[in-house]
Amino acid sequence: MSSNSTIRSICCIGAGYVGGPTMAVIADRCPDVKVTVVDINQDRIAAWNHPDLSKLPVYEPGLDAVVERARGRNLFFSTAVEETIASADMVFISVNTPTKTRGLGAGQASDLRWVEACARTVAKEATGHTIVVEKSTLPVRTAEAVKAILGSVDSSSEQKTFSVLSNPEFLAEGTAIRDLANPDRVLIGGENAEAIDALAEIYQQWVPEEKILRTNLWSSELSKLTANAFLAQRISSINSVAALCEATGADVREVAKAIGTDSRIGPKFLNAGPGFGGSCFQKDILNLVYLCRHFGLPDVADYWESVVLLNTWQQHRIARLVVQKLFGTVTGKRLAILGFAFKADTNDTREAPAIRICKDLLEEGAQLAIHDPKVDPEQISRDLNLIASQAPEEDAGPTRGALSGEATWWPSPDVASAIRGADAVLILTEWQQYRELDWTTLAPLMRKPAWVFDARGVVDPKQVESGGLNVWRVGEGDA
Ligand code: NAD
Ligand code: UDX
């Protein structure tokens, strides 16, 4: 940090998937700035402070090394929300903004209660001049509300002033450290040039100046929602084409390559799959849909809503297809689910396609052996609203007492035990280890006729077929 820097002390409210990694990287790159991440969730803070770095609450490749370098030096995790705000020059708000589940805008609008609570606490506890940075993804014009709350503080007895900035985060889970270390751009929206410069100065410690974009507040807030909507739209587009490929004998990988080499389209985000998951895409598009309706643009709202509808359809389509291929019934059948996280290299299951697909199959009475290298089985129980059963005896195989039709699931410690005795394998997350499975040793463990449903396009179909198994790969039609 240069010596004339205005920012000496940062407080980040929210020690989640964004607050934790983002602040760890800022602290790592700006050793002269004290960075304290605060949260009301004591367990989460305890996990961030855990001496064993494998116990950090967020799994991200490379995060442990960054935390190890900075923690205790200029990076701190604490539940002392008020005191930390009081001593900070800059406060990031990085709390959750999920879709509202009740009341006005339920199912679409963002629930801003946590953001508002933060603004009120900052208004009360801050001292001197404080730059408040919206790091959470927020509906356009939220800064207006934040400013109104900060402006309502009675500052007659004490000198309190605020500047509000929008600085949305574009990291993707699984590559968060790489994305933070080498971002495509950093976006700073605001009205006060000095405040914008103060935040830019932090990023300039490692991000080239030309990648730091300055905009007005509303453009910044809206750009975040728009970026996610465009990315998600590509996934729904390629998934819609995948279904057409399956019907016509085309191969979606070939089509994706053919269109992706057009430099105007580009090759990224064209992997067909079980639909997008994660805490952001669906939530942010629904928020955009809500805003469009709010601003009297129902046709624009319908356009973006179709991206989410197609995504949900794709997930149900995969579950339906599994049932159809397995002679129209999966009741009592053992199915191995490989991958529960919403994508590889994360332990996050929020909106994971596996949730909807597994729920559909459980509804049909299936018995699911679920394997994921990083997801905690208790999280799976919560996501499926069903506590885990004991894994059946190793050799229970096809003679399982399944005709009762009771749906069950159990966590499998390894792939082979998930697959043993199964009628089908579903690959729902593209973990590297699933790309490397040896199907010649796995195939004999299954009950024949058996299927591999590869929703991520990671297996070599010839190798699977050589083991005597049937294969379905997303977006691959019979040529
Ligand atoms: P998260 O749920 O993992 O973490 C949010 C944390 O905020 C929780 O630990 C919660 O206890 C804490 N919190 C809530 N209210 C608080 C309060 N008043 N005081 C102190 N702590 C409080 O959420 P996340 O995934 O880190 O997302 C945070 C924001 O960033 C969201 O708006 C999200 O849309 C956005 N975002 C997320 C990602 C992502 O990949 N997860 C990427 C970009 C942007
Ligand atoms: C996304 C945005 O990429 C990121 O910029 C934003 O800050 C937060 O939301 P994230 O949800 O963490 O990040 O992961 P991302 O890599 O975008 O994947 C989202 C979902 O789309 C995953 O379920 C992934 O498997 C799926 N996906 C992605 C595809 O199905 N096909 C693709 O080609 C790319």
Side-chain angles (χ1 to χ4, degrees):
M1 194 73 204
S2 58
S3 54
N4 62 354
S5 158
T6 37
I7 304 304
R8 293 268 145 223
S9 173
I10 288 177
C11 166
C12 173
I13 312 178
Y17 282 88
V18 169
T22 308
M23 293 302 129
V25 169
I26 290 181
D28 194 29
R29 303 296 175 130
C30 305
D32 296 338
V33 179
K34 182 179 177 193
V35 180
T36 309
V37 190
V38 295
D39 205 293
I40 43 177
N41 183 333
Q42 294 190 353
D43 293 344
R44 225 170 197 186
I45 291 297
W48 280 111
N49 283 322
H50 204 288
D52 178 353
L53 289 162
S54 71
K55 300 277 195 304
L56 295 180
V58 170
Y59 172 71
E60 275 294 336
L63 175 63
D64 48 359
V66 177
V67 171
E68 187 170 33
R69 279 198 295 273
R71 197 174 59 184
R73 181 189 69 188
N74 65 325
L75 174 65
F76 304 92
F77 295 93
S78 164
T79 51
V81 178
E82 287 82 6
E83 294 91 309
T84 309
I85 292 172
S87 62
D89 307 316
M90 181 176 272
V91 177
F92 285 81
I93 299 180
S94 185
V95 297
N96 35 320
T97 51
T99 304
K100 278 183 84 173
T101 53
R102 48 200 280 215
L104 197 65
Q108 290 193 332
S110 285
D111 191 338
L112 297 179
R113 73 177 102 157
W114 293 276
V115 173
E116 181 172 334
C118 289
R120 288 182 189 281
T121 314
V122 174
K124 184 157 174 272
E125 305 296 337
T127 55
H129 183 69
T130 308
I131 300 173
V132 178
V133 185
E134 297 175 345
K135 181 54 95 178
S136 294
T137 303
L138 297 170
V140 56
R141 296 206 78 87
T142 303
E144 204 162 52
V146 172
K147 280 194 288 184
I149 292 168
L150 295 173
S152 69
V153 65
D154 177 11
S155 58
S156 49
S157 55
E158 35 179 345
Q159 281 298 320
K160 272 191 209 211
T161 50
F162 298 98
S163 297
V164 177
L165 300 176
S166 160
N167 172 223
E169 185 47 63
F170 294 100
L171 67 79
E173 289 178 30
T175 53
I177 300 303
R178 205 171 71 202
D179 298 341
L180 288 164
N182 186 21
D184 286 344
R185 78 307 209 181
V186 166
L187 184 54
I188 304 178
E191 289 156 345
N192 178 319
E194 258 179 58
I196 295 176
D197 286 345
L199 180 54
E201 222 177 290
I202 299 276
Y203 286 110
Q204 276 159 7
Q205 301 309 306
W206 77 98
V207 179
E209 174 61 26
E210 63 274 16
K211 287 191 173 182
I212 301 177
L213 310 183
R214 293 160 159 88
T215 68
N216 77 28
L217 273 169
W218 322 125
S219 304
S220 174
E221 288 178 337
L222 188 56
S223 297
K224 175 64 198 177
L225 295 183
T226 309
N228 275 352
F230 268 60
L231 290 168
Q233 178 203 47
R234 276 174 80 94
I235 301 171
S236 280
S237 298
I238 200 69
N239 284 340
S240 73
V241 172
L244 192 58
C245 287
E246 289 164 33
T248 56
D251 182 333
V252 75
R253 280 152 290 273
E254 293 177 353
V255 175
K257 187 159 186 201
I259 63 169
T261 43
D262 183 326
S263 60
R264 293 168 301 175
I265 296 174
K268 293 183 182 167
F269 265 69
L270 288 179
N271 291 323
F276 55 77
S279 64
C280 293
F281 281 171
Q282 175 169 307
K283 159 176 88 73
D284 292 347
I285 298 178
L286 292 176
N287 189 0
L288 195 62
V289 169
Y290 181 75
L291 287 169
C292 293
R293 295 227 162 90
H294 173 81
F295 288 106
L297 299 166
D299 304 273
V300 183
D302 290 348
Y303 172 72
W304 285 112
E305 193 168 25
S306 71
V307 172
V308 175
L309 295 176
L310 195 289
N311 195 55
T312 307
W313 172 81
Q314 173 78 340
Q315 294 169 2
H316 289 308
R317 178 175 89 87
I318 290 175
R320 214 167 36 234
L321 184 144
V322 170
V323 176
Q324 282 161 357
K325 298 268 190 215
L326 296 180
F327 311 117
T329 175
V330 293
T331 308
K333 287 182 180 162
R334 192 185 297 186
L335 310 179
I337 305 294
L338 300 190
F340 203 83
F342 81 94
K343 63 186 271 195
D345 290 329
T346 177
N347 60 344
D348 196 348
T349 64
R350 289 178 289 179
E351 305 296 339
I355 300 176
R356 193 169 275 134
I357 295 172
C358 288
K359 278 187 173 172
D360 280 2
L361 295 170
L362 289 168
E363 185 64 27
E364 296 279 341
Q367 303 195 335
L368 306 181
I370 303 182
H371 175 268
D372 189 287
K374 288 290 174 197
V375 176
D376 181 356
E378 282 181 23
Q379 182 60 45
I380 302 179
S381 291
R382 283 194 290 274
D383 289 333
L384 297 179
N385 298 324
L386 189 63
I387 55 169
S389 305
Q390 286 289 347
E393 290 295 310
E394 278 251 316
D395 56 0
T399 60
R400 69 206 72 133
L403 290 173
S404 65
E406 188 198 351
T408 56
W409 80 273
W410 60 93
S412 266
D414 56 75
V415 171
S417 49
I419 286 180
R420 187 166 288 114
D423 295 279
V425 176
L426 278 75
I427 301 177
L428 300 184
T429 312
E430 72 286 19
W431 286 103
Q432 183 60 26
Q433 72 181 93
Y434 302 152
R435 296 178 192 273
E436 295 163 359
L437 294 174
D438 177 4
W439 289 98
T440 46
T441 53
L442 291 172
L445 302 176
M446 299 182 72
R447 176 168 86 157
K448 308 295 177 328
W451 279 86
V452 172
F453 296 97
D454 180 7
R456 293 285 187 174
V458 296
V459 302
D460 171 1
K462 290 209 174 56
Q463 219 229 351
V464 181
E465 278 161 357
S466 70
L469 305 176
N470 301 297
V471 193
W472 171 86
R473 274 210 307 170
V474 65
E476 185 174 74
D478 294 330

